[in-house]
Amino acid sequence: MKAILILDEMPDSCEKCPLLRYDVVRRIGCAVTSNIVIRKVGEKKPKWCPLCLMPEEQDICGTYPREDEKTPSYFIGWNDALRAIEGSGEDD
């Protein structure tokens, strides 16, 4: 089973990440991957970081629905899914 964690802002480095933790010997580690973080201050996030940006909603073209076509459901479904993930859907 998969899970999603929503952060208000994407950290641009480990030092700004809310998932940064210290273990008993004061080594800095990632709470998600358990990787030890040995990075210079201000260095960009590592390639192994599991955080990724939330995709953007897709624009639904104002020309839909045309008389002979239906609104593409994948645009509506995509945007509905993003709203549900963010907790801003109609079912709240």
Side-chain angles (χ1 to χ4, degrees), residues 4-41:
I4 296 174
L5 172 67
I6 303 288
L7 300 176
D8 288 331
E9 288 187 35
M10 170 67 93
D12 58 359
S13 66
C14 292
E15 66 186 358
K16 296 178 183 176
C17 184
L19 302 173
L20 191 65
R21 64 168 175 78
Y22 292 90
D23 67 10
V24 291
V25 292
R26 303 290 296 163
R27 291 182 298 180
I28 302 172
C30 176
V32 176
T33 64
S34 298
N35 287 352
I36 299 300
V37 178
I38 303 172
R39 310 205 54 82
K40 296 176 184 170
V41 173

Side-chain angles (χ1 to χ4, degrees), residues 81-92:
L82 292 178
R83 287 185 204 115
I85 290 169
E86 292 178 333
S88 59
E90 295 178 11
D91 295 325
D92 291 345

Side-chain angles (χ1 to χ4, degrees), residues 32-90:
V32 176
T33 64
S34 298
N35 287 352
I36 299 300
V37 178
I38 303 172
R39 310 205 54 82
K40 296 176 184 170
V41 173
E43 195 170 353
K44 298 292 181 193
K45 82 179 182 129
K47 291 182 180 181
W48 51 258
C49 179
L51 299 179
C52 60
L53 289 173
M54 185 80 171
E56 297 292 323
E57 286 193 14
Q58 298 294 318
D59 289 332
I60 298 175
C61 181
T63 60
Y64 288 103
R66 295 179 186 155
E67 289 182 25
D68 59 338
E69 295 182 39
K70 294 182 180 179
T71 303
S73 61
Y74 55 89
F75 285 142
I76 294 171
W78 177 268
N79 293 343
D80 287 347
L82 292 178
R83 287 185 204 115
I85 290 169
E86 292 178 333
S88 59
E90 295 178 11

